Amino acid sequence: MIFIEICVGSSCHLKGSEKIIHLFQTAIAEHKLENDVILSGSFCIGKCNQIGVTVQIDEDIFTGVTPEHFREFFEQNVLSRINKEI
Amino acid sequence: MIQEKYKFDTKVQYLKYKVLREVAKLAWEDKLLENVMDIPKMIIPGKIPTMRCCVYKERAILAERVKLAMGGNPENPNVIEVIDIACDECPAAGYEVTTSCRGCLAHRCEDVCPRQAIFIDQNHVAHIDKSKCIECGKCAKICPYSAIANRKRPCQNACKVKAISMDEEQAALIDNEKCIACGACVYQCPFGAIMDKSYILKAIDLLKNNKNQKVYAVVAPSISSQFTYAKLGQVITGLKNLGFHTVIEAALGADMVAQAESRELAEKGFLTSSCCPAFVSYIKSAFPELTEHISHNLSPMATIAKYIKETTENSKVIFIGPCTAKKSEAQLENVKPWIDTVLTFEELQALFDSRDINLTVLEEDVLDNASYFGRIFARSGGLSDAVSQGLKEQNLTDFELLACTCDGIEECRAALMKKKRNILNANFIEGMACTGGCIGGAGCLTHGEKNKAQVDAYGKEAMEKTISDSVSVLHIVKK
């Protein structure tokens, strides 16, 4: 089980948190990961960035997550973790 | 130093600010206890009085202000307190004949008086026998020279709920049962003899300990009409420099309230709003029979704070707004768990300056959580607009909203009186105790004519145009 927290503070909100949330929800459904991932949000993870949205996966914080690179990001940081766990 | 003064409407506010700033400065440095007695002399040095009869009285009054800046009298449950030695015991004689009386022949004043309280001297000049006068004001209305004036104290005049009277020593006395903590008297007293208690020390304590907890600033939308010498983005950076984890718009709470309130309204058929704590407390004290109609929603402040605390471990919430009544609201049993303390914009200015934070040179940060509708709660009429939008967005179109927008406590009183007699042609009362809405709040730095336009402009800048858009993000936050 991994915890994913998406920042919805002002800065990330303006850079499209909602879009990223939507992409996560779709990707989780697509890979049938509902029981492996808990998705939640946070008002500011404290890593406001120039581009993209901040996402925290377990203890690791990633800045600059954008829709363009989402698929890659999801594979590298979510799928790989889950595969490791399994 | 001169420059600072222009951040405020009056010199009274400026004085209060200086006290708050010095108290805060010492508190940050953990030196308050040993130096608190020196604050009056620091602010009023030398021997020449500038405000009162002598520097000693000035300092004595300032010492009282210091006490209020440190939380005031804990035995007095009211957040609004009178500094009795600062009260100038203004004339409160009621109707008096002024020197404008021309000693006419008609003497309509004498005829109209129902108690024969007016007598005419040998020069035909009218006088009022105070032992007979019932203060009905008929003489003043009928005098063709407007020679009869009603001398009321500014505090009593400001207090539309009639909670202020005089004690035996002629100083102002607040009836805590009637007082709604709106702060109108605080702002109006020309001698600064009535003040709201400050919880600035509580805020500093929370912020000092921000390594162990996340301290959230929830800011009222009226912030857009304040700190006009800097940009809003700079204010946000300033807040973070003070030690806040992040800043969240109370307007997001307003969006949540608008959604819930429109549902509750469609269900019950009649509601009075619950956003303005002074209006809610007024209904409870003056119209207890209408209490059942008060919306069951928490205020936007409490709604968003509850949300933050329920979704974030180890979080503290400080509300920052224009309102003294919020300080009272924060003490209510159903609000206390969510709000740790409340600051006014006046107090925030003092906090910034206590840390020498110059907003004008800071980089701009951003603030965007709420929709246009949540943001316009700050001005009279905004809440009704938002409820109307909430009904529309939730397809509750069968319900026709008939909003009665009450701007200021006198209009609230009129609407509540009508409702009591069942002659009110409305199904929703939007009550705002301050004239203009929250932008007229006593804790504002300035009260300008442009404030309403600034709030509307800020509302339009919101990225989210609808209530459902801004609230949708919350479903994900909730674990």
Side-chain angles (χ1 to χ4, degrees), chain B residues 241-286:
Chain B
N241 289 357
L242 276 176
F244 284 99
H245 169 65
T246 193
V247 185
I248 299 178
E249 291 185 85
L252 181 55
D255 279 326
M256 297 159 84
V257 168
Q259 211 174 45
E261 198 135 299
S262 46
R263 276 201 304 268
E264 192 187 357
L265 176 61
E267 194 181 300
K268 294 191 178 154
F270 182 84
L271 277 186
T272 64
S273 61
S274 60
C275 300
C276 169
F279 175 61
V280 171
S281 121
Y282 182 56
I283 299 178
K284 287 182 180 162
S285 67

Side-chain angles (χ1 to χ4, degrees), chain A residues 5-6 8-18 21 25 38-46 48 50, chain B residues 214 216 240 245-248 252 304 307-308 365-369 463-464 469 472-474 476-477 479:
Chain A
E5 222 167 34
I6 301 160
V8 296
S10 290
S11 175
C12 289
H13 177 78
L14 287 167
K15 293 176 189 93
S17 321
E18 240 193 304
I21 291 170
Q25 285 168 334
I38 291 183
L39 200 57
S40 76
S42 159
F43 281 113
C44 199
I45 293 174
C48 307
Q50 293 298 325
Chain B
K214 285 181 180 172
Y216 288 82
K240 290 188 182 170
H245 169 65
T246 193
V247 185
I248 299 178
L252 181 55
I304 189 65
Y307 190 85
I308 294 168
D365 203 330
V366 287
L367 181 66
D368 197 299
N369 315 103
M463 188 171 81
E464 310 293 3
D469 277 348
S472 70
V473 77
L474 300 172
I476 176 82
V477 182
K479 283 163 204 171

